[in-house]
Amino acid sequence: MSPVPISSVKVGKIDDVQELRKTKTSSIPERFVRDSTERPALCPVITTNNNIPVIDISKLLKPNNDEFHYEIMKLSAACEEWGFFQVINHGIDLAVVENIEKMAMEFFMLPLEEKQKYPMIPGTVQGYGQAFIFSEDQKLDWCNMFALALEPHHMRNLKLWPTKPSNFSETLEEYSREVRKFCKNLLKYIAKSLGLNANLFEDMFGVAVQAVRMNYYPVCPRPDLVLGLSPHSDGSALTVLQQRKGSSVGLQILKDNKWVSVQPIPDALVINIGDTIEVLSNGRYKSVEHRAVANKEKDRLSIVTFYAPSYEIELAPLPELIYEKNPPKYRRYNHGEYSKHYITNKLQGKKTLEFVKLK
Ligand SMILES: COC(=O)C(/C=C/C1=C(C)CCCC1(C)C)=C/O[C@H]1C=C(C)C(=O)O1
Ligand SMILES: O=C(O)CCC(=O)C(=O)O
Ligand SMILES: [Fe+2]
């Protein structure tokens, strides 16, 4: 079952944040101003050096030596305790990484009329605009987004693939091929870290769904009042996040009820466990709530890949990870049904996962 767009969703006027910036006014339109409980300045933020774990993928290339086992243990602890980690020596060609950053920036810097040729229709998640807006009074994020489904091919909406910059399609295809390979390998390591057969996830997922979302956060005169991206967990199995070199620090994750800022490491990628792996591991690995904050001095670009099972696939906690003291925490469901639920609700912390949680 594939998600169907909802029609006639009334979302009111959605200002484009880059255009707002051009007016140079320091006042923030009401729709972007968060309620006091949600404002980033009022929530405690930790910015320690003791940041999210770092996994060195080059140490996982030769299985069954000490280095391999140590790194797998680190991976397991990262997924259990943080749900987030950074990967270094990930094997994705740095030129490919740089090319997509450059291409994405060129796209966001195009005139609004050009970008609006690829509109994200309210209730859908592909195209340019703001996703997950369902009412006229819903707060807006300080962010412009451009999202596309990549795999399987039948999910592509080719009318939304920009012709400018001219290398858009070629650059995105090359990047997604590399990221897809990387996700397949990482899922093998994650399976190993759970004591499972390395191919279990890939065999189970069918032709995996892959989507990309480029998030551009312009500088904001009042970052204390707005959010770059509302708190949410990802509905994917895995998410791969790349941050443009020189961007402001913006990603925050909720750890022990406190927001922790993720300090980017040059040339590393940020990985997070999505809802699918939380369910399959019966809650052992966490799909952690995260958000993005805006910045007064520097803009920010993130390029995010969602990797998930095919929509036909039925999911439930793996029998291998259920035992007497750890009974199933989630019901059996179809991933297409979950995706439809995910994209037809606003981003609201870990609320989407309640759809499949057993009480
Ligand atoms: C914040 O999360 C998302 O924006 C998101 C959207 C992904 C999608 C597209 C951009 C186009 C194709 C459909 C799809 C829903 C994959 C998150 O992706 C997660 C959510 C689900 C569900 C999933 O499978 O990946
Ligand atoms: O830009 C970021 O750091 C967060 C992006 C994100 O969480 C998402 O797109 O799902
Ligand atoms: Fe996310």
Side-chain angles (χ1 to χ4, degrees), residues 131-189:
F132 304 100
I133 308 295
F134 299 97
S135 68
E136 300 192 41
D137 55 8
Q138 192 180 330
K139 293 292 178 189
L140 300 175
D141 291 333
W142 193 265
C143 180
N144 282 336
M145 295 162 192
F146 183 67
L148 291 173
L150 298 163
E151 299 290 345
H153 267 237
H154 67 78
M155 282 179 67
R156 292 186 179 198
N157 180 349
L158 294 176
K159 289 199 189 99
L160 296 177
W161 284 58
T163 51
K164 285 184 191 163
S166 59
N167 62 348
F168 186 98
S169 303
E170 182 196 323
T171 309
L172 180 58
E173 295 275 23
E174 191 181 29
Y175 178 74
S176 358
R177 259 195 312 272
E178 294 251 347
V179 176
R180 194 168 178 87
K181 251 191 285 165
F182 170 78
C183 288
K184 284 178 194 287
N185 283 330
L186 186 56
L187 278 176
K188 289 192 203 309
Y189 304 135

Short mmCIF file of all heavy atoms in Angstrom, two decimals, residues 131-189:
data_model
loop_
_atom_site.label_atom_id
_atom_site.label_comp_id
_atom_site.label_asym_id
_atom_site.label_seq_id
_atom_site.Cartn_x
_atom_site.Cartn_y
_atom_site.Cartn_z
N ALA A 131 6.85 20.80 4.85
CA ALA A 131 6.11 19.54 4.94
C ALA A 131 5.40 19.44 6.27
O ALA A 131 5.71 20.19 7.20
CB ALA A 131 7.06 18.38 4.77
N PHE A 132 4.44 18.54 6.34
CA PHE A 132 3.76 18.19 7.60
C PHE A 132 2.95 19.36 8.18
O PHE A 132 2.84 19.51 9.39
CB PHE A 132 4.76 17.67 8.65
CG PHE A 132 5.57 16.49 8.16
CD1 PHE A 132 6.87 16.67 7.69
CD2 PHE A 132 5.03 15.22 8.15
CE1 PHE A 132 7.63 15.59 7.23
CE2 PHE A 132 5.78 14.13 7.68
CZ PHE A 132 7.07 14.32 7.23
N ILE A 133 2.40 20.21 7.30
CA ILE A 133 1.52 21.30 7.76
C ILE A 133 0.09 20.89 7.40
O ILE A 133 -0.19 20.58 6.24
CB ILE A 133 1.87 22.65 7.06
CG1 ILE A 133 3.36 22.97 7.20
CG2 ILE A 133 1.02 23.80 7.61
CD1 ILE A 133 3.84 23.22 8.60
N PHE A 134 -0.78 20.90 8.39
CA PHE A 134 -2.14 20.40 8.16
C PHE A 134 -3.24 21.36 8.58
O PHE A 134 -4.41 21.05 8.48
CB PHE A 134 -2.33 19.05 8.89
CG PHE A 134 -1.38 18.00 8.39
CD1 PHE A 134 -0.20 17.73 9.05
CD2 PHE A 134 -1.66 17.33 7.20
CE1 PHE A 134 0.69 16.79 8.55
CE2 PHE A 134 -0.78 16.39 6.70
CZ PHE A 134 0.40 16.12 7.38
N SER A 135 -2.86 22.53 9.15
CA SER A 135 -3.93 23.46 9.53
C SER A 135 -3.42 24.90 9.42
O SER A 135 -2.21 25.13 9.31
CB SER A 135 -4.40 23.18 10.96
OG SER A 135 -3.37 23.52 11.86
N GLU A 136 -4.36 25.83 9.48
CA GLU A 136 -3.99 27.23 9.29
C GLU A 136 -3.32 27.82 10.52
O GLU A 136 -2.65 28.84 10.44
CB GLU A 136 -5.24 28.06 8.96
CG GLU A 136 -5.89 27.54 7.70
CD GLU A 136 -6.95 28.46 7.15
OE1 GLU A 136 -6.74 29.69 7.16
OE2 GLU A 136 -7.99 27.95 6.69
N ASP A 137 -3.51 27.18 11.68
CA ASP A 137 -2.89 27.75 12.89
C ASP A 137 -1.63 27.00 13.32
O ASP A 137 -1.03 27.32 14.34
CB ASP A 137 -3.91 27.86 14.03
CG ASP A 137 -4.56 26.53 14.33
OD1 ASP A 137 -4.10 25.53 13.74
OD2 ASP A 137 -5.52 26.48 15.13
N GLN A 138 -1.24 26.00 12.54
CA GLN A 138 -0.02 25.24 12.92
C GLN A 138 1.23 26.11 12.76
O GLN A 138 1.36 26.85 11.78
CB GLN A 138 0.09 24.00 12.02
CG GLN A 138 1.11 22.99 12.48
CD GLN A 138 1.17 21.78 11.55
OE1 GLN A 138 0.18 21.40 10.92
NE2 GLN A 138 2.35 21.21 11.42
N LYS A 139 2.12 26.03 13.73
CA LYS A 139 3.36 26.82 13.66
C LYS A 139 4.24 26.33 12.52
O LYS A 139 4.23 25.14 12.18
CB LYS A 139 4.14 26.72 14.98
CG LYS A 139 3.43 27.38 16.15
CD LYS A 139 3.38 28.89 16.01
CE LYS A 139 2.62 29.53 17.16
NZ LYS A 139 2.37 30.97 16.95
N LEU A 140 5.00 27.25 11.95
CA LEU A 140 5.87 26.90 10.83
C LEU A 140 7.33 26.82 11.28
O LEU A 140 7.72 27.46 12.25
CB LEU A 140 5.75 27.96 9.73
CG LEU A 140 4.34 28.14 9.13
CD1 LEU A 140 4.33 29.30 8.15
CD2 LEU A 140 3.88 26.86 8.44
N ASP A 141 8.10 26.02 10.56
CA ASP A 141 9.53 25.88 10.85
C ASP A 141 10.32 26.95 10.11
O ASP A 141 9.96 27.34 8.99
CB ASP A 141 10.02 24.49 10.41
CG ASP A 141 9.44 23.37 11.27
OD1 ASP A 141 9.12 23.63 12.45
OD2 ASP A 141 9.32 22.24 10.76
N TRP A 142 11.44 27.37 10.71
CA TRP A 142 12.32 28.36 10.07
C TRP A 142 13.24 27.61 9.09
O TRP A 142 14.44 27.46 9.31
CB TRP A 142 13.13 29.13 11.12
CG TRP A 142 13.80 30.34 10.54
CD1 TRP A 142 15.08 30.41 10.08
CD2 TRP A 142 13.22 31.64 10.35
NE1 TRP A 142 15.34 31.67 9.60
CE2 TRP A 142 14.21 32.45 9.75
CE3 TRP A 142 11.97 32.19 10.60
CZ2 TRP A 142 13.99 33.78 9.41
CZ3 TRP A 142 11.74 33.53 10.27
CH2 TRP A 142 12.75 34.30 9.69
N CYS A 143 12.64 27.12 8.03
CA CYS A 143 13.38 26.23 7.14
C CYS A 143 12.68 26.15 5.78
O CYS A 143 11.45 26.21 5.71
CB CYS A 143 13.37 24.83 7.78
SG CYS A 143 14.21 23.56 6.85
N ASN A 144 13.45 26.05 4.71
CA ASN A 144 12.90 25.69 3.41
C ASN A 144 13.35 24.28 3.09
O ASN A 144 14.51 23.94 3.31
CB ASN A 144 13.41 26.64 2.31
CG ASN A 144 12.67 27.96 2.34
OD1 ASN A 144 11.53 28.04 2.83
ND2 ASN A 144 13.31 29.01 1.83
N MET A 145 12.42 23.48 2.60
CA MET A 145 12.74 22.07 2.36
C MET A 145 12.49 21.71 0.91
O MET A 145 11.57 22.24 0.29
CB MET A 145 11.81 21.17 3.18
CG MET A 145 11.99 21.32 4.64
SD MET A 145 10.53 20.66 5.44
CE MET A 145 10.82 21.29 7.08
N PHE A 146 13.29 20.76 0.46
CA PHE A 146 13.02 20.19 -0.86
C PHE A 146 13.22 18.69 -0.74
O PHE A 146 14.30 18.23 -0.37
CB PHE A 146 13.97 20.79 -1.91
CG PHE A 146 13.65 20.28 -3.28
CD1 PHE A 146 12.46 20.63 -3.89
CD2 PHE A 146 14.51 19.43 -3.94
CE1 PHE A 146 12.12 20.11 -5.13
CE2 PHE A 146 14.18 18.92 -5.19
CZ PHE A 146 12.99 19.27 -5.78
N ALA A 147 12.16 17.94 -1.00
CA ALA A 147 12.23 16.48 -0.77
C ALA A 147 11.78 15.71 -2.00
O ALA A 147 10.88 16.14 -2.74
CB ALA A 147 11.36 16.11 0.42
N LEU A 148 12.41 14.58 -2.22
CA LEU A 148 12.07 13.70 -3.34
C LEU A 148 12.17 12.24 -2.94
O LEU A 148 13.08 11.87 -2.19
CB LEU A 148 13.06 13.92 -4.51
CG LEU A 148 13.00 15.23 -5.26
CD1 LEU A 148 14.15 15.31 -6.25
CD2 LEU A 148 11.66 15.41 -5.98
N ALA A 149 11.26 11.44 -3.46
CA ALA A 149 11.39 9.98 -3.33
C ALA A 149 12.34 9.52 -4.43
O ALA A 149 12.29 10.02 -5.55
CB ALA A 149 10.03 9.33 -3.50
N LEU A 150 13.22 8.57 -4.09
CA LEU A 150 14.22 8.12 -5.06
C LEU A 150 14.00 6.67 -5.48
O LEU A 150 14.07 6.33 -6.65
CB LEU A 150 15.62 8.25 -4.44
CG LEU A 150 16.04 9.67 -4.07
CD1 LEU A 150 17.21 9.66 -3.11
CD2 LEU A 150 16.38 10.45 -5.32
N GLU A 151 13.76 5.81 -4.50
CA GLU A 151 13.60 4.38 -4.76
C GLU A 151 12.41 3.87 -3.97
O GLU A 151 12.18 4.36 -2.85
CB GLU A 151 14.85 3.60 -4.32
CG GLU A 151 16.13 3.99 -5.03
CD GLU A 151 16.19 3.59 -6.50
OE1 GLU A 151 15.35 2.75 -6.93
OE2 GLU A 151 17.04 4.13 -7.21
N PRO A 152 11.69 2.87 -4.43
CA PRO A 152 11.77 2.30 -5.76
C PRO A 152 11.32 3.33 -6.81
O PRO A 152 10.59 4.27 -6.47
CB PRO A 152 10.82 1.10 -5.70
CG PRO A 152 10.00 1.27 -4.48
CD PRO A 152 10.70 2.22 -3.56
N HIS A 153 11.73 3.12 -8.03
CA HIS A 153 11.53 4.12 -9.08
C HIS A 153 10.09 4.59 -9.25
O HIS A 153 9.83 5.74 -9.57
CB HIS A 153 12.05 3.57 -10.42
CG HIS A 153 13.46 3.95 -10.65
ND1 HIS A 153 13.89 4.65 -11.76
CD2 HIS A 153 14.56 3.75 -9.90
CE1 HIS A 153 15.18 4.86 -11.67
NE2 HIS A 153 15.62 4.32 -10.57
N HIS A 154 9.12 3.65 -9.01
CA HIS A 154 7.72 4.04 -9.24
C HIS A 154 7.26 5.12 -8.26
O HIS A 154 6.24 5.77 -8.49
CB HIS A 154 6.79 2.81 -9.19
CG HIS A 154 6.68 2.18 -7.83
ND1 HIS A 154 5.90 2.71 -6.84
CD2 HIS A 154 7.30 1.10 -7.29
CE1 HIS A 154 6.01 1.97 -5.76
NE2 HIS A 154 6.88 0.98 -6.00
N MET A 155 8.03 5.36 -7.18
CA MET A 155 7.64 6.42 -6.24
C MET A 155 8.10 7.80 -6.70
O MET A 155 7.74 8.82 -6.12
CB MET A 155 8.24 6.14 -4.85
CG MET A 155 7.48 5.09 -4.09
SD MET A 155 8.22 4.77 -2.51
CE MET A 155 7.96 6.29 -1.65
N ARG A 156 8.94 7.81 -7.73
CA ARG A 156 9.46 9.12 -8.18
C ARG A 156 8.37 9.95 -8.85
O ARG A 156 7.58 9.41 -9.62
CB ARG A 156 10.60 8.90 -9.19
CG ARG A 156 11.82 8.29 -8.58
CD ARG A 156 12.96 8.23 -9.56
NE ARG A 156 14.13 7.65 -8.91
CZ ARG A 156 15.37 7.76 -9.37
NH1 ARG A 156 15.61 8.41 -10.50
NH2 ARG A 156 16.37 7.22 -8.72
N ASN A 157 8.35 11.22 -8.55
CA ASN A 157 7.46 12.14 -9.26
C ASN A 157 8.38 13.03 -10.09
O ASN A 157 8.90 14.03 -9.61
CB ASN A 157 6.65 12.95 -8.24
CG ASN A 157 5.71 13.91 -8.93
OD1 ASN A 157 5.80 14.11 -10.14
ND2 ASN A 157 4.82 14.52 -8.16
N LEU A 158 8.56 12.61 -11.35
CA LEU A 158 9.59 13.27 -12.17
C LEU A 158 9.28 14.73 -12.47
O LEU A 158 10.18 15.51 -12.76
CB LEU A 158 9.83 12.46 -13.45
CG LEU A 158 10.45 11.08 -13.19
CD1 LEU A 158 10.59 10.28 -14.48
CD2 LEU A 158 11.82 11.18 -12.48
N LYS A 159 8.00 15.10 -12.33
CA LYS A 159 7.62 16.51 -12.56
C LYS A 159 8.26 17.41 -11.50
O LYS A 159 8.37 18.61 -11.66
CB LYS A 159 6.11 16.66 -12.47
CG LYS A 159 5.38 16.05 -13.63
CD LYS A 159 3.98 16.65 -13.69
CE LYS A 159 3.14 15.91 -14.70
NZ LYS A 159 2.26 14.91 -14.09
N LEU A 160 8.67 16.79 -10.37
CA LEU A 160 9.26 17.58 -9.28
C LEU A 160 10.78 17.58 -9.32
O LEU A 160 11.43 18.09 -8.40
CB LEU A 160 8.76 17.06 -7.92
CG LEU A 160 7.26 17.19 -7.66
CD1 LEU A 160 6.90 16.56 -6.31
CD2 LEU A 160 6.84 18.67 -7.66
N TRP A 161 11.36 16.99 -10.34
CA TRP A 161 12.84 16.98 -10.44
C TRP A 161 13.28 18.24 -11.18
O TRP A 161 12.98 18.41 -12.37
CB TRP A 161 13.33 15.71 -11.16
CG TRP A 161 13.28 14.49 -10.27
CD1 TRP A 161 12.16 13.99 -9.65
CD2 TRP A 161 14.37 13.65 -9.89
NE1 TRP A 161 12.50 12.87 -8.90
CE2 TRP A 161 13.85 12.64 -9.03
CE3 TRP A 161 15.74 13.62 -10.17
CZ2 TRP A 161 14.64 11.64 -8.47
CZ3 TRP A 161 16.52 12.62 -9.63
CH2 TRP A 161 15.97 11.64 -8.78
N PRO A 162 13.98 19.14 -10.50
CA PRO A 162 14.33 20.44 -11.10
C PRO A 162 15.23 20.32 -12.34
O PRO A 162 16.05 19.41 -12.43
CB PRO A 162 15.09 21.14 -9.98
CG PRO A 162 14.74 20.44 -8.74
CD PRO A 162 14.45 19.03 -9.12
N THR A 163 15.07 21.26 -13.25
CA THR A 163 15.97 21.32 -14.41
C THR A 163 17.13 22.28 -14.12
O THR A 163 18.09 22.33 -14.86
CB THR A 163 15.20 21.80 -15.67
OG1 THR A 163 14.52 23.01 -15.31
CG2 THR A 163 14.20 20.76 -16.13
N LYS A 164 16.98 23.07 -13.04
CA LYS A 164 18.07 23.97 -12.62
C LYS A 164 18.43 23.66 -11.17
O LYS A 164 17.49 23.51 -10.37
CB LYS A 164 17.63 25.44 -12.71
CG LYS A 164 17.58 25.94 -14.11
CD LYS A 164 17.23 27.41 -14.08
CE LYS A 164 16.92 27.89 -15.50
NZ LYS A 164 16.22 29.15 -15.52
N PRO A 165 19.69 23.61 -10.78
CA PRO A 165 20.87 23.66 -11.64
C PRO A 165 20.88 22.47 -12.62
O PRO A 165 20.30 21.42 -12.32
CB PRO A 165 22.03 23.59 -10.65
CG PRO A 165 21.46 23.17 -9.35
CD PRO A 165 20.01 23.46 -9.35
N SER A 166 21.56 22.64 -13.73
CA SER A 166 21.45 21.66 -14.81
C SER A 166 21.98 20.28 -14.41
O SER A 166 21.60 19.28 -15.00
CB SER A 166 22.16 22.18 -16.05
OG SER A 166 23.51 22.41 -15.72
N ASN A 167 22.86 20.24 -13.41
CA ASN A 167 23.40 18.94 -12.99
C ASN A 167 22.60 18.32 -11.83
O ASN A 167 23.06 17.38 -11.19
CB ASN A 167 24.88 19.09 -12.58
CG ASN A 167 25.05 20.04 -11.39
OD1 ASN A 167 24.11 20.75 -11.02
ND2 ASN A 167 26.21 20.04 -10.79
N PHE A 168 21.40 18.83 -11.58
CA PHE A 168 20.64 18.38 -10.40
C PHE A 168 20.45 16.85 -10.38
O PHE A 168 20.84 16.17 -9.43
CB PHE A 168 19.26 19.07 -10.34
CG PHE A 168 18.50 18.75 -9.08
CD1 PHE A 168 18.48 19.60 -8.00
CD2 PHE A 168 17.80 17.54 -8.96
CE1 PHE A 168 17.80 19.28 -6.82
CE2 PHE A 168 17.12 17.20 -7.79
CZ PHE A 168 17.12 18.08 -6.74
N SER A 169 19.85 16.32 -11.44
CA SER A 169 19.48 14.89 -11.45
C SER A 169 20.71 14.00 -11.38
O SER A 169 20.77 13.05 -10.58
CB SER A 169 18.68 14.55 -12.70
OG SER A 169 17.55 15.37 -12.75
N GLU A 170 21.69 14.33 -12.20
CA GLU A 170 22.92 13.53 -12.26
C GLU A 170 23.62 13.50 -10.88
O GLU A 170 24.03 12.45 -10.38
CB GLU A 170 23.79 14.24 -13.31
CG GLU A 170 25.10 13.69 -13.69
CD GLU A 170 25.87 14.82 -14.41
OE1 GLU A 170 25.24 15.61 -15.17
OE2 GLU A 170 27.08 14.90 -14.21
N THR A 171 23.70 14.68 -10.25
CA THR A 171 24.38 14.78 -8.95
C THR A 171 23.62 14.01 -7.87
O THR A 171 24.21 13.29 -7.07
CB THR A 171 24.52 16.27 -8.53
OG1 THR A 171 25.08 16.97 -9.62
CG2 THR A 171 25.37 16.45 -7.29
N LEU A 172 22.30 14.14 -7.90
CA LEU A 172 21.49 13.45 -6.88
C LEU A 172 21.55 11.94 -7.08
O LEU A 172 21.65 11.18 -6.12
CB LEU A 172 20.03 13.96 -6.95
CG LEU A 172 19.08 13.34 -5.94
CD1 LEU A 172 19.55 13.56 -4.50
CD2 LEU A 172 17.66 13.91 -6.10
N GLU A 173 21.51 11.50 -8.35
CA GLU A 173 21.56 10.04 -8.63
C GLU A 173 22.87 9.46 -8.12
O GLU A 173 22.88 8.41 -7.49
CB GLU A 173 21.48 9.77 -10.14
CG GLU A 173 20.18 10.16 -10.80
CD GLU A 173 19.10 9.10 -10.70
OE1 GLU A 173 19.17 8.26 -9.79
OE2 GLU A 173 18.17 9.16 -11.53
N GLU A 174 23.96 10.16 -8.39
CA GLU A 174 25.27 9.65 -8.00
C GLU A 174 25.36 9.56 -6.46
O GLU A 174 25.80 8.56 -5.89
CB GLU A 174 26.36 10.57 -8.54
CG GLU A 174 27.74 9.98 -8.40
CD GLU A 174 28.83 10.91 -8.91
OE1 GLU A 174 28.65 12.15 -8.87
OE2 GLU A 174 29.87 10.38 -9.35
N TYR A 175 24.89 10.61 -5.79
CA TYR A 175 24.92 10.66 -4.33
C TYR A 175 24.06 9.54 -3.75
O TYR A 175 24.48 8.81 -2.87
CB TYR A 175 24.40 12.03 -3.89
CG TYR A 175 24.34 12.20 -2.39
CD1 TYR A 175 25.49 12.39 -1.64
CD2 TYR A 175 23.11 12.19 -1.72
CE1 TYR A 175 25.44 12.56 -0.25
CE2 TYR A 175 23.05 12.36 -0.34
CZ TYR A 175 24.22 12.54 0.39
OH TYR A 175 24.16 12.69 1.74
N SER A 176 22.84 9.39 -4.29
CA SER A 176 21.94 8.40 -3.68
C SER A 176 22.41 6.98 -3.91
O SER A 176 22.17 6.12 -3.06
CB SER A 176 20.50 8.51 -4.17
OG SER A 176 20.31 9.51 -5.04
N ARG A 177 23.08 6.73 -5.02
CA ARG A 177 23.64 5.38 -5.25
C ARG A 177 24.64 5.05 -4.15
O ARG A 177 24.62 3.99 -3.56
CB ARG A 177 24.36 5.33 -6.60
CG ARG A 177 23.54 4.66 -7.70
CD ARG A 177 24.39 4.29 -8.90
NE ARG A 177 25.27 5.36 -9.38
CZ ARG A 177 24.93 6.29 -10.27
NH1 ARG A 177 23.71 6.31 -10.79
NH2 ARG A 177 25.81 7.21 -10.66
N GLU A 178 25.50 6.03 -3.85
CA GLU A 178 26.54 5.81 -2.83
C GLU A 178 25.92 5.65 -1.44
O GLU A 178 26.33 4.81 -0.66
CB GLU A 178 27.52 7.00 -2.80
CG GLU A 178 28.33 7.12 -4.07
CD GLU A 178 29.79 6.74 -3.87
OE1 GLU A 178 30.24 6.61 -2.73
OE2 GLU A 178 30.47 6.57 -4.90
N VAL A 179 24.94 6.49 -1.14
CA VAL A 179 24.32 6.43 0.19
C VAL A 179 23.55 5.12 0.34
O VAL A 179 23.53 4.51 1.41
CB VAL A 179 23.41 7.66 0.45
CG1 VAL A 179 22.69 7.55 1.79
CG2 VAL A 179 24.24 8.94 0.44
N ARG A 180 22.93 4.66 -0.75
CA ARG A 180 22.18 3.39 -0.68
C ARG A 180 23.12 2.23 -0.34
O ARG A 180 22.83 1.40 0.51
CB ARG A 180 21.47 3.15 -2.02
CG ARG A 180 20.41 2.07 -1.95
CD ARG A 180 19.57 2.08 -3.22
NE ARG A 180 18.56 1.04 -3.22
CZ ARG A 180 17.35 1.16 -2.70
NH1 ARG A 180 16.99 2.26 -2.10
NH2 ARG A 180 16.48 0.16 -2.76
N LYS A 181 24.28 2.23 -1.02
CA LYS A 181 25.28 1.17 -0.75
C LYS A 181 25.69 1.23 0.73
O LYS A 181 25.79 0.22 1.41
CB LYS A 181 26.53 1.41 -1.61
CG LYS A 181 26.71 0.42 -2.74
CD LYS A 181 28.09 0.56 -3.37
CE LYS A 181 28.22 1.79 -4.24
NZ LYS A 181 29.51 2.24 -4.63
N PHE A 182 25.94 2.45 1.18
CA PHE A 182 26.38 2.65 2.56
C PHE A 182 25.30 2.14 3.54
O PHE A 182 25.62 1.46 4.53
CB PHE A 182 26.68 4.14 2.79
CG PHE A 182 26.91 4.47 4.23
CD1 PHE A 182 28.12 4.17 4.83
CD2 PHE A 182 25.91 5.05 5.00
CE1 PHE A 182 28.32 4.43 6.19
CE2 PHE A 182 26.10 5.32 6.34
CZ PHE A 182 27.30 5.00 6.94
N CYS A 183 24.04 2.45 3.28
CA CYS A 183 22.95 2.03 4.19
C CYS A 183 22.87 0.51 4.25
O CYS A 183 22.67 -0.07 5.32
CB CYS A 183 21.60 2.59 3.72
SG CYS A 183 21.44 4.35 3.98
N LYS A 184 23.01 -0.14 3.09
CA LYS A 184 22.95 -1.61 3.07
C LYS A 184 24.05 -2.19 3.96
O LYS A 184 23.82 -3.12 4.72
CB LYS A 184 23.11 -2.14 1.64
CG LYS A 184 21.85 -1.97 0.79
CD LYS A 184 22.09 -2.47 -0.63
CE LYS A 184 21.00 -2.01 -1.57
NZ LYS A 184 19.71 -2.67 -1.43
N ASN A 185 25.26 -1.63 3.85
CA ASN A 185 26.38 -2.13 4.67
C ASN A 185 26.15 -1.84 6.15
O ASN A 185 26.37 -2.70 7.00
CB ASN A 185 27.70 -1.50 4.23
CG ASN A 185 28.19 -2.14 2.95
OD1 ASN A 185 27.92 -3.32 2.70
ND2 ASN A 185 28.89 -1.39 2.13
N LEU A 186 25.70 -0.63 6.42
CA LEU A 186 25.49 -0.26 7.83
C LEU A 186 24.44 -1.16 8.47
O LEU A 186 24.57 -1.57 9.63
CB LEU A 186 25.09 1.22 7.92
CG LEU A 186 24.98 1.79 9.33
CD1 LEU A 186 26.27 1.60 10.11
CD2 LEU A 186 24.62 3.28 9.29
N LEU A 187 23.41 -1.51 7.69
CA LEU A 187 22.38 -2.40 8.25
C LEU A 187 22.95 -3.78 8.59
O LEU A 187 22.51 -4.42 9.53
CB LEU A 187 21.21 -2.54 7.27
CG LEU A 187 20.20 -1.41 7.32
CD1 LEU A 187 19.14 -1.59 6.25
CD2 LEU A 187 19.50 -1.33 8.69
N LYS A 188 23.96 -4.19 7.82
CA LYS A 188 24.62 -5.47 8.15
C LYS A 188 25.31 -5.36 9.50
O LYS A 188 25.22 -6.25 10.34
CB LYS A 188 25.68 -5.83 7.09
CG LYS A 188 25.11 -6.25 5.74
CD LYS A 188 26.23 -6.85 4.91
CE LYS A 188 26.01 -6.80 3.43
NZ LYS A 188 24.81 -7.28 2.85
N TYR A 189 26.03 -4.25 9.73
CA TYR A 189 26.73 -4.07 11.00
C TYR A 189 25.73 -3.96 12.16
O TYR A 189 25.97 -4.47 13.25
CB TYR A 189 27.63 -2.83 10.97
CG TYR A 189 28.63 -2.82 9.83
CD1 TYR A 189 28.83 -1.68 9.05
CD2 TYR A 189 29.38 -3.96 9.53
CE1 TYR A 189 29.74 -1.68 8.01
CE2 TYR A 189 30.29 -3.96 8.48
CZ TYR A 189 30.46 -2.82 7.72
OH TYR A 189 31.35 -2.81 6.68
#
